[in-house]
């Protein structure tokens, strides 16, 4: 009887607790229904209205998921359209036989990892050695959003070409280096001898950029975490360390300064706003300029290889795509719309690709029969 009494009291207590929960808006366990939650992958718009989005929002409803890892499954589907340049390496090199290869590289996120402090985006010694070896075989150019001097200071190599400010500050050969389209692999990489000349299509904007930088420094200095970077012909406003509640104020201040300078426009990248002159010039134009100064713009026997991870690299991808020759390769570990044909996951795979390219070239030279006269 004693145990029956205890059970009865316990049952009544539980019943009262259930009624209290229902009165407060909770549901009992037998009525609980799992609500499907969407999974979002970051969205970033492209740098201009005519280019495709660099990353689009991908919404996956878990009611429709048949794979336990939907993001991985989505990446696999994306890889089917943009196969790994490593897995496809042998196929790519078969098409490269007898062609003049020209290599174009972005810096941040391609040769170096994306880091919290932009001043510490160092490339590894292994990457530097790989880039140097590739540049010893092929004309090689780094096209970065950084200032040309800064990216050269990071790379510390003298056997390649540099373009900073998204291609608005180029150091290129002074004259056409190659006139023949019959040689297999050219010796253009040996033409870098200190006689290069600068090409700066936005040079007339420099005084306005200096004034713009001065005004921005005064406007954002009170916002903790905001960092300005002078990239020569463009200005970067980094907000990786800005509190979320302060971002709106930062954006408002930057746009307010720009309203008085209509000759500039604002784009946004990964945790950075960029202010650039409103001229028809981008990384794609820089690729065309290099090909022209190297005497290869009209050649049907070249194979440009462009590797980059940024939305601004899409302009270069489009140029290579439009030529119908070459390999645009995007560096990304997440699905994104792109004009690239192939992909690499991260800078570690870029290192492997460049090392294999150098080794393939070296073996190609060694396997050639000697010309004894």
């Amino acid at each position: 009887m004693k145990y029956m009494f205890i059970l009865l009291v316990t049952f009544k207590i539980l019943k009262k607790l259930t009624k209290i929960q229902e009165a407060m808006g909770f549901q009992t366990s037998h009525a609980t229904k799992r609500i499907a939650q969407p999974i979002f992958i970051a969205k970033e718009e492209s740098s201009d209205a005519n280019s495709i989005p660099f990353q689009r929002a991908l919404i996956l409803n878990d009611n429709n998921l048949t794979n336990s890892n939907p993001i991985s499954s989505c990446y696999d589907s994306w890889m089917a359209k943009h196969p790994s340049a490593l897995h496809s390496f042998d196929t790519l090199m078969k098409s490269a036989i007898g062609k003049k290869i020209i290599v174009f590289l972005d810096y941040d996120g391609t040769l170096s990892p994306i880091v919290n402090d932009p001043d510490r985006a160092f490339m590894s010694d292994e990457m530097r050695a790989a880039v140097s070896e590739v540049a010893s075989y092929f004309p090689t150019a780094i096209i970065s959003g950084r200032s040309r001097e800064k990216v050269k200071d990071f790379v510390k190599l003298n056997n390649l070409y540099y373009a900073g400010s998204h291609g608005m500050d180029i150091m290129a050969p002074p004259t056409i280096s190659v006139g023949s389209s019959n040689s297999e692999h050219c010796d253009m990489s040996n033409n870098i001898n200190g006689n290069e000349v600068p090409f700066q299509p936005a040079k007339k904007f420099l005084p306005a950029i200096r004034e713009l930088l001065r005004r921005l420094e005064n406007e954002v200095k009170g916002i903790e975490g905001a960092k300005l970077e002078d990239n020569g012909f463009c200005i970067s406003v980094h907000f990786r360390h800005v509190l979320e509640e302060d971002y709106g104020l930062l954006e408002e201040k930057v746009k307010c300064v720009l309203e008085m300078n209509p000759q500039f426009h604002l784009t946004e990248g990964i945790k950075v706003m960029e202010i650039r002159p409103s001229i028809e010039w981008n990384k794609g134009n820089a690729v065309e300029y290099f090909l022209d100064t190297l005497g290869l713009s009209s050649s049907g026997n070249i194979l440009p290889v462009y590797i980059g991870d940024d939305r601004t690299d899409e302009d270069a991808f489009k140029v290579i795509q439009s030529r119908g020759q070459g390999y645009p390769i995007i560096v990304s570990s997440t699905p994104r719309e792109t004009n690239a044909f192939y992909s690499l996951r991260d800078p570690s795979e870029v290192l492997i690709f460049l090392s294999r390219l150098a080794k393939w070239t070296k073996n190609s030279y060694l396997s050639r029969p000697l010309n004894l006269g």
Side-chain angles (χ1 to χ4, degrees):
M1 288 295 292
K2 183 179 179 180
Y3 293 113
M4 290 293 291
F5 176 75
I6 292 173
L7 287 173
L8 183 60
V9 171
T10 302
F11 177 76
K12 288 183 177 181
I13 292 172
L14 289 174
K15 193 171 182 180
K16 283 188 177 182
L17 285 174
T18 300
K19 288 182 178 180
I20 292 171
Q21 286 180 323
E22 289 176 349
M24 294 176 65
F26 295 103
Q27 292 182 337
T28 53
S29 59
H30 69 273
T32 299
K33 181 179 180 181
R34 189 167 68 94
I35 300 174
Q37 297 294 327
I39 300 171
F40 293 92
I41 293 178
K43 176 182 179 182
E44 292 188 15
E45 295 301 328
S46 63
S47 56
D48 60 67
N50 296 320
S51 64
I52 65 169
F54 183 57
Q55 294 184 358
R56 290 191 187 278
L58 174 64
I59 303 177
L60 302 172
N61 190 303
D62 65 1
N63 281 337
N64 300 320
L65 297 180
T66 57
N67 192 304
S68 59
N69 192 341
I71 296 178
S72 175
S73 177
C74 187
Y75 186 75
D76 290 343
S77 299
W78 180 79
M79 285 282 288
K81 298 178 181 178
H82 310 285
S84 167
L86 291 180
H87 297 164
S88 308
F89 186 82
D90 291 340
T91 301
L92 299 184
M93 291 305 100
K94 284 181 182 178
S95 300
I97 295 174
K99 303 285 182 67
K100 298 185 181 77
I101 296 176
I102 307 97
V103 178
F104 299 99
L105 302 165
D106 183 26
Y107 183 75
D108 292 275
T110 300
L111 300 181
S112 74
I114 298 294
V115 295
N116 288 332
D117 184 353
D119 292 331
R120 300 189 61 80
F122 304 122
M123 67 190 298
S124 66
D125 291 338
E126 292 81 6
M127 182 70 83
R128 183 173 292 105
V131 173
S132 180
E133 189 173 10
V134 166
S136 70
Y137 293 116
F138 311 114
T140 302
I142 294 180
I143 306 178
S144 171
R146 303 264 193 165
S147 70
R148 178 168 51 81
E149 294 82 4
K150 186 172 290 184
V151 74
K152 186 175 182 179
D153 188 54
F154 275 133
V155 177
K156 301 182 187 304
L157 292 174
N158 294 321
N159 62 336
L160 43 79
Y161 301 110
Y162 293 92
S165 302
H166 301 292
M168 287 183 283
D169 186 11
I170 299 175
M171 191 63 75
T175 57
I176 293 177
S177 302
V178 175
S180 172
S181 60
N182 297 320
S183 59
E184 285 191 23
H185 292 290
C186 47
D187 295 326
M188 290 180 290
S189 54
N190 297 323
N191 291 336
I192 302 175
N193 52 19
N195 293 327
E196 296 77 41
V197 294
F199 176 72
Q200 299 168 332
K203 189 173 183 178
K204 69 177 183 178
F205 292 93
L206 278 177
I209 292 172
R210 301 276 74 78
E211 175 61 20
L212 199 60
L213 183 63
R214 184 191 65 79
R215 291 186 58 204
L216 283 168
E217 286 173 344
N218 290 331
E219 289 293 329
V220 308
K221 63 183 178 183
I223 301 177
E224 186 176 354
K227 180 182 178 64
L228 293 178
E229 183 178 9
D230 180 1
N231 289 319
F233 292 88
C234 58
I235 301 170
S236 295
V237 184
H238 297 276
F239 55 88
R240 184 175 296 275
H241 298 293
V242 173
L243 295 175
E244 187 176 348
E245 56 264 33
D246 291 337
Y247 172 76
L249 176 62
L250 175 63
E251 185 181 38
E252 181 183 342
K253 286 181 175 291
V254 171
K255 287 183 176 180
C256 184
V257 172
L258 278 183
E259 284 177 0
M260 304 178 192
N261 296 269
Q263 69 270 40
F264 295 89
H265 68 278
L266 184 69
T267 62
E268 187 168 322
I270 302 175
K271 298 294 184 180
V272 63
M273 288 181 278
E274 291 191 314
I275 300 166
R276 300 163 61 181
S278 297
I279 63 171
E280 291 296 324
W281 194 267
N282 53 47
K283 288 186 176 183
N285 299 109
V287 166
E288 291 175 325
Y289 183 82
F290 274 119
L291 292 177
D292 187 49
T293 57
L294 291 168
L296 299 172
S297 60
S298 59
S299 173
N301 196 38
I302 64 170
L303 195 77
V305 176
Y306 191 108
I307 307 176
D309 78 305
D310 194 71
R311 77 181 67 184
T312 57
D313 297 313
E314 291 294 331
D315 295 314
F317 294 161
K318 284 189 285 187
V319 165
I320 294 177
Q321 188 183 76
S322 67
R323 291 181 63 91
Q325 52 184 179
Y327 302 135
I329 303 173
I330 189 169
V331 183
S332 177
S333 59
T334 58
R336 59 179 69 172
E337 287 197 31
T338 178
N339 290 292
F341 295 159
Y342 296 92
S343 66
L344 295 166
R345 290 185 71 95
D346 50 39
S348 67
E349 288 200 352
V350 175
L351 171 59
I352 296 171
F353 180 86
L354 294 177
S355 299
R356 289 184 66 180
L357 178 60
K359 183 178 180 180
W360 175 84
T361 308
K362 183 178 180 180
N363 290 340
S364 296
Y365 280 126
L366 292 176
S367 64
R368 291 178 182 178
L370 292 174
N371 185 353
L372 299 178

